[in-house]
Amino acid sequence: MSCFRGDPNFCPECGNVLPLPGVSDTVRCPRCSFRIPVTEFSGQEVRSVVVFNPAEESQVSLRDEEGSELKGPVIDRRCSRCNKEGMIYHTRQMRSADEGQTVFFTCTHCRFQEKEDS
């Protein structure tokens, strides 16, 4: 008895994504021993959609206490001070060129700043 039902793109035995049909007359699950004839995929159409976040939602512009503007992309990073999600980041090359750059993070809520050397 199969554990999974529904979408023919997934293995009905283990739930793994099945590879696209190729030159072989069967499609074999790479995770378990399940096999299905290629003819089962006859007439099916594969479509994929990529949805990007709107630029307005991924960029923030804030003013700090001195009146200077903070700009940059917002990432899902938790602030170590206020524990809320959402930080602006920017990078700088602070050391020699053969070393990694430094990433500066600013919380969008409390404006706490932290850095990370890579």
Side-chain angles (χ1 to χ4, degrees):
M1 183 84 189
S2 176
C3 297
F4 300 93
R5 285 195 169 77
D7 196 325
N9 296 314
F10 295 91
C11 175
E13 298 299 322
C14 68
N16 195 54
V17 177
L18 290 175
L20 292 173
V23 293
S24 176
D25 58 347
T26 60
V27 173
R28 184 185 161 285
C29 176
R31 190 168 182 210
C32 70
S33 61
F34 177 76
R35 292 177 186 268
I36 188 170
V38 171
T39 55
E40 294 288 322
F41 295 92
S42 178
Q44 286 191 9
E45 184 176 316
V46 176
R47 290 184 186 196
S48 61
V49 176
V50 177
V51 179
F52 293 98
N53 293 333
E56 301 82 39
E57 291 179 15
S58 61
Q59 293 270 335
V60 168
S61 177
L62 300 172
R63 292 215 177 266
D64 64 8
E65 295 82 33
E66 295 89 41
S68 62
E69 192 172 32
L70 302 169
K71 284 184 173 181
V74 178
I75 61 168
D76 292 332
R77 181 180 170 113
R78 191 169 298 280
C79 176
S80 59
R81 181 193 283 166
C82 71
N83 208 31
K84 292 186 179 175
E85 286 283 333
M87 296 188 90
I88 296 173
Y89 78 95
H90 68 277
T91 59
R92 292 259 164 87
Q93 187 68 40
M94 304 297 284
R95 296 167 288 169
S96 62
D98 65 336
E99 295 185 37
Q101 52 190 338
T102 303
V103 183
F104 295 89
F105 300 96
T106 305
C107 178
T108 58
H109 304 281
C110 71
R111 302 216 170 101
F112 177 68
Q113 294 182 344
E114 54 191 40
K115 72 176 186 174
E116 185 178 280
D117 295 318
S118 51

